[in-house]
Amino acid sequence: MSGTRIKRWLNMHGKEFLADGTLKLEARQQMLAQGISEGAIDSYARRLKIKYDEWKHLDETDPEPWPVFTAYDFFTPTEKQQFNPDGSLKPEYRESELALGISENWLDEMERRKKLEVDNYNELSAYYAQRGINFGKEQMEERLAFSLTYPQRVKQMEQDLRNCEEPSSLPFDKDTSWF
């Protein structure tokens, strides 16, 4: 997806800055009213404009990869046997369950819930894409991180501590005695 860095920049700074990376007049006036000097405001605006220009250049010359994940990618193997990518029940599954005596109402409810889940995923994905965030990729990375075994997570945390990662991003409290 093109422009993901700029979308993130605007998501972070859009209240104060225009879409071209320049400081909004009302933001400048508010800063002046708070007693911030013209020089400090100009310095702040210049620094953020430089960052904006860097990110814009990167978006143009080296776009970030944007792997596309659908809700179906997060279905369990069993759900993939039961449901189509849009959340509707597969006809063969519906028929086999009806033959086993499962009620039509229950199957309709299963389908309704799965379609709602797919719709929610699609809405979140679109919402975050507008802000330059790949929701599906983040969900997949989170799922993969949870799938690591406990010893792997401990080992990863030790590496993260050596790399001076932010403590809030660590899976465990860094002051735990077994470290």
Side-chain angles (χ1 to χ4, degrees), residues 153-172:
R153 286 186 285 164
V154 170
K155 185 176 179 182
Q156 181 61 49
M157 183 167 163
E158 291 169 347
Q159 179 66 44
D160 290 344
L161 285 169
R162 285 193 296 276
N163 291 337
C164 301
E165 293 291 332
E166 183 68 31
S168 64
S169 72
L170 301 173
F172 309 110

Side-chain angles (χ1 to χ4, degrees), residues 9-38:
W9 189 93
L10 287 170
N11 192 44
M12 292 185 292
H13 304 291
K15 290 180 181 172
E16 296 177 324
F17 289 83
L18 299 170
D20 67 355
T22 57
L23 186 64
K24 290 179 180 178
L25 182 59
E26 28 321 335
R28 176 179 291 280
Q29 290 170 343
Q30 183 179 14
M31 290 178 197
L32 286 170
Q34 293 173 345
I36 301 172
S37 71
E38 282 280 348

Side-chain angles (χ1 to χ4, degrees), residues 70-76 79 83 85-87 109-125 135 143:
T70 66
Y72 190 73
D73 294 317
F74 297 93
F75 286 12
T76 66
E79 289 172 331
F83 297 98
D86 68 351
E109 179 62 16
M110 282 177 62
E111 184 175 77
R112 185 190 72 77
R113 289 179 184 183
K114 187 52 76 175
K115 283 183 172 182
L116 185 60
E117 186 180 308
V118 169
D119 289 346
N120 287 339
Y121 175 89
N122 292 338
E123 286 178 24
L124 281 170
S125 188
F135 177 73
R143 181 172 280 196

Side-chain angles (χ1 to χ4, degrees), residues 57-124:
H57 178 72
L58 283 172
D59 277 346
E60 293 166 353
T61 60
D62 186 22
E64 293 179 310
W66 193 272
V68 176
F69 292 97
T70 66
Y72 190 73
D73 294 317
F74 297 93
F75 286 12
T76 66
T78 301
E79 289 172 331
K80 287 181 179 182
Q81 291 175 349
Q82 299 170 335
F83 297 98
N84 293 310
D86 68 351
S88 62
L89 281 172
K90 290 185 175 182
E92 61 274 11
Y93 177 76
R94 181 179 285 278
E95 290 172 21
S96 70
E97 292 300 295
L98 287 171
L100 292 172
I102 303 297
S103 79
E104 183 79 36
N105 287 342
W106 173 243
L107 293 173
D108 289 345
E109 179 62 16
M110 282 177 62
E111 184 175 77
R112 185 190 72 77
R113 289 179 184 183
K114 187 52 76 175
K115 283 183 172 182
L116 185 60
E117 186 180 308
V118 169
D119 289 346
N120 287 339
Y121 175 89
N122 292 338
E123 286 178 24
L124 281 170

Side-chain angles (χ1 to χ4, degrees), residues 36-53:
I36 301 172
S37 71
E38 282 280 348
I41 295 170
D42 290 342
S43 174
Y44 172 70
R46 193 171 32 260
R47 283 181 282 124
L48 266 74
K49 175 66 170 150
I50 288 168
K51 183 57 84 176
Y52 172 91
D53 290 340

